[in-house]
């Protein structure tokens, strides 16, 4: 059953560039359930990125509106969710997976199944607090295509695939694939125009996968910070409102970046392009924030709702982040202290 909730377990991930390792006690020995799950998720996310690029290359996005003109679903959303859920289901049948798309049951094309795992992740030690976790204890939140509207408009660097893993309501591990990382090389403007070219110039490596586990670190990118004293806010591109505007204005930013995708915004924080992600509005869902939150927290950042409350990711929780999102790599208190009371009053947790 590939509806919005599926039972499964096991994923994988891999270390590329070790960015930060905020370690507690670590367990070595044979790979734990969590590390096998992350390692699988890594390989599955890489396959998802390939599917996302293939749909663009084939030229038919299969766009449908879900609730409104800015809430879209494409063929890539559908295929990637089936791929992720089905691949996980085969390895971890006791896992709970909650995906964005509500899809009817159907036979799964074997080409969508990824049964590999990233061996480098299996070599990593599991933080001791997670060493005894069973697959039935875990909830996986899946956004098969974060930034769908931007995907349909050719703003492909906004797009990510998100696989977040939660334990006892807390996001503890996550994988983010950027299918079009590196695509905006000088020779690749034609991609934005035609959406037919799957390469970003002759020598570019297209796409990357970032992963992290709390207590271990985050990998696959180079951590950078915005220059000291600069306040650069990243926020929604397509879901602006008066509340969002009021909140950002109160923070007196030096610059405001309006981009798509929660995953993309968190990557801007960890790569020094923005100092705060501010979204003072309902609309963002748990599958948008679970994986990115882990990556941010693993390098010492902080993500909460507008009131400063931690987000909860147990399987019974409501999907909407109704009190918005506030996230920073550093200086969280600076931004949190400037959220207007009128904005807090309007956003009920």
């Amino acid at each position: 059953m590939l509806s919005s909730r599926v039972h499964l377990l096991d994923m994988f991930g891999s270390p590329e560039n070790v960015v930060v390792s905020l370690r507690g006690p670590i367990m070595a020995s044979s790979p734990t359930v969590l590390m096998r799950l992350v390692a699988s998720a890594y390989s599955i996310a890489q396959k998802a990125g390939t599917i996302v690029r293939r749909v663009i290359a084939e030229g038919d996005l299969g766009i449908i509106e879900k609730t409104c003109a800015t809430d879209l679903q494409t063929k890539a959303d559908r295929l990637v969710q089936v791929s992720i859920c089905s691949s996980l289901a085969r390895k971890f049948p006791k896992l709970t997976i909650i995906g964005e798309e509500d899809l009817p049951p159907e036979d799964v094309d074997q080409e969508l199944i990824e049964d590999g795992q990233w061996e480098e992740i299996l070599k990593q030690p599991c933080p001791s607090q997670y060493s005894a976790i069973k697959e039935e204890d875990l909830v996986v939140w899946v956004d098969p295509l974060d930034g769908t509207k931007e995907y349909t408009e050719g703003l492909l660097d906004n797009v990510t695939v998100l696989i977040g893993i939660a334990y006892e309501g807390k996001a503890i591990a996550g994988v983010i694939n950027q299918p079009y990382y590196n695509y905006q090389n000088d020779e690749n403007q034609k991609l934005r125009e035609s959406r037919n070219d799957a390469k970003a110039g002759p020598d570019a490596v297209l796409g990357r996968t970032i992963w992290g586990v709390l207590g271990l670190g985050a990998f696959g990118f180079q951590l950078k910070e915005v220059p000291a004293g600069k306040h650069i806010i990243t926020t929604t591109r397509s879901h602006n409102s008066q509340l969002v505007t009021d909140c950002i204005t109160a923070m007196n930013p030096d610059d405001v970046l309006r981009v798509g995708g929660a995953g993309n915004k968190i990557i801007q924080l960890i790569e020094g392009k923005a100092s705060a992600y501010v979204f003072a509005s309902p609309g963002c869902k748990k599958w948008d924030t679970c994986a990115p939150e882990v990556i941010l927290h693993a390098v010492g950042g902080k993500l909460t709702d507008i009131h400063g409350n931690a987000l909860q990711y147990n399987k019974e929780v409501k999907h909407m982040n109704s009190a918005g999102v506030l996230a920073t790599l550093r200086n969280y208190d600076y931004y949190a202290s400037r959220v207007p009371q009128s904005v807090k009053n309007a956003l009920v947790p």
Side-chain angles (χ1 to χ4, degrees), residues 268-282:
Q268 289 186 318
L269 297 185
I270 62 177
E271 294 193 324
K273 296 176 183 176
S275 46
Y277 166 26
V278 180
F279 186 51
S281 174

Side-chain angles (χ1 to χ4, degrees), residues 62-243:
I63 301 168
I64 62 173
E65 288 187 13
K66 293 194 290 186
T67 60
C68 64
T70 59
D71 186 16
L72 304 177
Q73 184 192 89
T74 69
K75 181 179 180 182
D77 293 87
R78 297 185 288 273
L79 289 177
V80 169
Q81 178 152 315
V82 170
S83 176
I84 293 172
C85 291
S86 299
S87 297
L88 289 174
R90 298 195 177 198
K91 288 197 170 187
F92 308 95
K94 296 179 182 177
L95 190 68
T96 296
I97 292 186
I98 303 173
E100 176 176 8
E101 309 304 337
D102 192 6
L103 303 176
E106 61 181 52
D107 293 332
V108 179
D109 187 335
Q110 290 303 303
E111 290 187 2
L112 296 176
I113 301 298
E114 173 58 56
D115 60 6
Q117 58 190 29
W118 200 259
E119 292 296 332
E120 288 302 314
I121 290 181
L122 296 179
K123 297 175 184 177
Q124 296 293 313
C126 181
S128 59
Q129 65 268 36
Y130 305 136
S131 62
I133 287 178
K134 300 174 183 177
E135 61 181 84
E136 56 265 35
D137 298 331
L138 295 167
V139 179
V140 176
W141 294 85
V142 176
D143 191 338
L145 189 64
D146 185 39
T148 298
K149 187 171 187 293
E150 287 69 28
Y151 181 68
T152 67
E153 296 172 354
L155 301 173
L156 302 179
D157 53 336
N158 288 211
V159 172
T160 59
V161 176
L162 306 175
I163 304 175
I165 302 167
Y167 172 64
E168 295 184 341
K170 181 178 181 180
I172 64 166
V175 176
I176 301 176
N177 178 270
Q178 284 183 290
Y180 286 97
Y181 175 73
N182 266 343
Y183 99 96
Q184 279 188 308
N185 286 7
D186 292 341
E187 299 182 23
N188 197 44
Q189 276 309 108
K190 59 184 177 181
L191 177 62
R192 186 181 294 278
E193 297 163 7
S194 68
R195 303 209 309 269
N196 250 336
D197 183 5
K199 294 185 178 180
D203 302 316
V205 176
L206 197 59
R208 68 170 170 177
T209 303
I210 293 168
W211 70 278
V213 177
L214 294 189
L216 179 63
F219 308 82
F221 64 100
Q222 291 295 329
L223 183 68
K224 297 179 183 178
E225 297 185 23
V226 170
K230 294 285 286 183
H231 301 291
I232 302 172
I233 289 177
T234 184
T235 192
T236 181
R237 172 178 172 269
S238 53
H239 301 283
N240 199 24
S241 68
Q242 191 60 51
L243 277 180

Side-chain angles (χ1 to χ4, degrees), residues 248-266:
I248 292 172
T249 300
M251 294 176 179
N252 194 28
D254 297 300
D255 196 9
V256 178
L257 309 177
R258 298 188 180 276
V259 300
N264 181 39
K265 295 180 184 73
I266 295 301

Side-chain angles (χ1 to χ4, degrees), residues 30-65:
S30 59
T32 61
V33 167
L34 179 63
M35 299 309 290
R36 289 189 296 112
L37 181 54
V38 176
S40 289
Y42 187 99
S43 293
I44 291 166
Q46 287 190 309
K47 185 177 190 72
T50 301
I51 295 169
V52 169
R53 292 190 293 268
R54 188 185 74 209
V55 170
I56 283 277
E58 291 173 348
D60 177 12
L61 298 187
I63 301 168
I64 62 173
E65 288 187 13

